[in-house]
Amino acid sequence: MFEHKPRPEWTAAEVFLTDSVVHPDPALHRALRTAADAGMPAIEVAPNAGKLLQLLVQMAGARNVLEIGTLAGFSTIWMARGLPADGSLVSCEFLPAHAQVARENVDSAGLGPKVEIRVGPALETLAELAAEGRAPFDFIFIDADKQNNSNYLDWALRLGRPGTTVVLDNAVWEGAITDAGMDPVNAPGIIDALTMLGGHPRFDATVIQTVGSKGWDGFALARII
């Protein structure tokens, strides 16, 4: 199994920034605790990245958010908090057990009316959303199985609009983007997605490298044009 290897000083800096700037509240701590109690992998975004998602939702003026990959709802809570009172968020989660934990966490955070969690393969859910006329989404966050990253970006184009913000998590993957042999399962999908972001005429994008408790990674930030 591919392992991310954070350095102690990276984690220490992240803890300082979280405590001094981000200030996660009890609802967010609950999401982390319930994920651990349920045996979920600790692959949610770091708190400083979660707060970034909230700020990006607010800066984009988003009213309709799509999340691909719910886990325990940690990033869901951050983004839903960035929505206006009449905003909505749809999150796609493959595993029913994860969706149940996330539902409880979102409700505990007081965000239940804003958030819909759909269970099943995300590609099927995305097709359903299109058929239901739920588009366009103003903000799309992709943090799911890396093999389908390019498919998710394709759906982002279909379900978004000119001006939609798209964030793709795990865009550096411990440097495996320059050596796919480090992780032949996930790296090819990440590389294909980055190539798509850089070459597709409807995307304008960049990638930010990050370090912290999740190791050496990063995220792609794109705008649909």
Side-chain angles (χ1 to χ4, degrees), residues 104-125:
E104 293 171 0
N105 286 329
V106 168
D107 291 345
S108 179
L111 297 165
K114 290 184 177 182
V115 176
E116 178 184 1
I117 300 174
R118 295 211 178 186
V119 181
L123 293 177
E124 294 179 11
T125 299

Side-chain angles (χ1 to χ4, degrees), residues 16-145:
F16 172 80
L17 295 172
T18 297
D19 292 343
S20 61
V21 179
V22 179
H23 308 302
D25 65 8
L28 290 160
H29 290 303
R30 181 187 193 278
L32 296 177
R33 184 179 67 255
T34 57
D37 290 345
M40 296 184 190
I43 55 174
E44 71 283 329
V45 300
N48 54 334
K51 184 61 176 289
L52 176 63
L53 289 172
Q54 177 182 321
L55 291 171
L56 288 173
V57 168
Q58 292 170 319
M59 291 173 182
R63 307 177 72 86
N64 199 17
V65 171
L66 173 63
E67 178 181 42
I68 304 173
T70 316
L71 201 63
F74 188 71
S75 54
T76 315
I77 292 170
W78 281 113
M79 289 187 290
R81 286 178 169 172
L83 287 167
D86 60 347
S88 64
L89 184 153
V90 178
S91 189
C92 308
E93 174 53 48
F94 179 67
L95 295 175
H98 290 185
Q100 179 60 37
V101 173
R103 179 77 266 166
E104 293 171 0
N105 286 329
V106 168
D107 291 345
S108 179
L111 297 165
K114 290 184 177 182
V115 176
E116 178 184 1
I117 300 174
R118 295 211 178 186
V119 181
L123 293 177
E124 294 179 11
T125 299
L126 297 172
E128 292 168 0
L129 291 171
E132 295 166 10
R134 292 294 298 272
F137 289 93
D138 310 308
F139 189 97
I140 300 172
F141 178 49
I142 301 170
D143 188 13
D145 57 303

